[in-house]
């Protein structure tokens, strides 16, 4: 039983607050200990609820984990999931998207979520699916529509627009993200992030330049 159970549960303000308290407590415990070592008793103690309420709302440990991942992904990726792509200079638009994407990639909770998905995703393959559905997929879909329109108008050249968008996201992630998320280096300051954004956008604009 998964998060569908919560949809049919009591929606009173008290139960909604209790559900949120359990999700917040679960995020703390899961990020600290991972899924397998996380204790439902510890989550209940942190949230001030009860095991019976937890099972009523989420059905199982897996259901709680899924609900927490779904909410956290949506919150972290919200600035990027429905970008308003104005009819302005493509460089300005892509720079704005790149800054938002780097803000997500360098967010400590987002990095904790990524580490947990890497550690638990093999055993629970639906979890990476939830992550991509809530964040990267909507962003890439919006960018495909945007760059596809620019390609048709001759402003940029990207006949394989899906591959181009994937390349853009990969360029933004790059070595900087992986060294940070693995703990090889500290999270970069704003100036370093901005240098990275400008460098990657410059490279990308040269890649899609018409002519």
């Amino acid at each position: 039983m998964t998060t569908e159970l919560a949809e049919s549960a009591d929606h009173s303000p008290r139960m909604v607050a209790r559900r949120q308290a359990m999700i917040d407590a679960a995020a703390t415990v899961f990020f600290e200990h991972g899924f397998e070592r996380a204790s439902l008793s510890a989550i209940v103690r942190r949230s001030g609820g009860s095991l019976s309420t937890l099972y009523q709302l989420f059905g199982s440990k897996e259901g709680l984990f899924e609900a927490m991942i779904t909410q956290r992904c949506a919150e972290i990726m919200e600035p990027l999931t429905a970008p308003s792509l104005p009819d302005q200079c493509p460089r300005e638009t892509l720079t704005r998207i790149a800054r938002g994407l780097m803000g997500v990639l360098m967010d400590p909770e987002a990095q904790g979520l990524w580490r947990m998905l890497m550690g638990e995703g093999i055993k629970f393959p639906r979890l990476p699916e939830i992550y991509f559905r809530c964040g990267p997929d909507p962003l890439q879909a919006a960018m495909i529509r945007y760059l596809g329109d620019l390609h048709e108008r001759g402003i940029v050249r990207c006949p394989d627009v899906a591959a181009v968008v994937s390349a853009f996201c990969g360029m933004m992630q790059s070595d900087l993200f992986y060294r940070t998320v693995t703990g090889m280096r500290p999270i970069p300051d704003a100036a370093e992030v901005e240098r990275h954004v400008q460098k990657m956008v410059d490279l990308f604009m040269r890649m899609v330049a018409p002519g």
Side-chain angles (χ1 to χ4, degrees):
M1 197 176 297
T2 58
T3 51
E4 287 81 2
L5 183 67
E7 296 177 2
S8 61
D10 181 2
H11 290 287
S12 68
R14 177 178 175 277
M15 191 60 78
V16 169
R18 182 59 51 81
R19 183 179 188 275
Q20 188 59 54
M22 287 186 171
I23 287 177
D24 291 341
T28 299
V29 174
F30 284 136
F31 287 155
E32 287 180 358
H33 303 290
F35 178 79
E36 286 194 303
R37 293 192 299 119
S39 162
L40 289 183
S41 296
I43 293 170
V44 167
R45 284 196 301 272
R46 283 178 179 268
S47 69
S50 66
L51 277 174
S52 62
T53 299
L54 187 150
Y55 284 116
Q56 177 188 352
L57 289 171
F58 304 104
S60 65
K61 184 178 181 180
E62 289 84 356
L64 176 58
F65 190 53
E66 181 177 338
M68 186 275 294
I69 290 287
T70 300
Q71 185 181 93
R72 286 302 193 263
C73 279
E75 289 172 352
I76 291 167
M77 299 299 259
E78 191 274 334
L80 299 175
T81 53
S84 174
L85 301 177
D87 187 14
Q88 62 181 18
C89 169
R91 178 184 293 273
E92 294 177 9
T93 298
L94 291 169
T95 298
R96 181 168 60 85
I97 293 172
R99 286 173 179 150
L101 182 56
M102 288 304 296
V104 169
L105 293 175
M106 295 300 140
D107 179 83
E109 184 167 287
Q111 293 199 356
L113 176 58
W114 187 87
R115 294 185 193 104
M116 182 164 45
L117 288 171
M118 290 298 293
E120 310 284 354
I122 299 299
K123 294 182 180 179
F124 304 97
R126 289 195 63 238
L127 301 176
E129 176 188 331
I130 294 166
Y131 167 75
F132 281 99
R133 186 179 70 240
C134 291
D137 287 351
L139 169 64
Q140 292 198 19
M143 288 190 66
I144 286 170
R145 292 191 298 271
Y146 173 66
L147 288 173
D149 177 65
L150 293 184
H151 173 74
E152 291 180 0
R153 292 157 58 191
I155 298 173
V156 300
R157 183 179 181 278
C158 49
D160 190 348
V161 65
V164 168
V165 169
S166 180
F168 175 83
C169 294
M171 289 166 64
M172 293 311 306
Q173 215 164 355
S174 73
D175 187 68
L176 182 61
F177 169 73
Y178 291 110
R179 289 182 182 273
T180 302
V181 78
T182 56
M184 291 185 64
R185 55 151 298 158
I187 293 177
D189 61 22
E192 184 178 0
V193 170
E194 182 62 20
R195 287 194 298 271
H196 176 74
V197 164
Q198 295 299 330
K199 181 178 180 180
M200 293 302 106
V201 171
D202 284 345
L203 288 172
F204 183 77
M205 292 305 300
R206 289 200 293 270
M207 185 171 72
V208 300

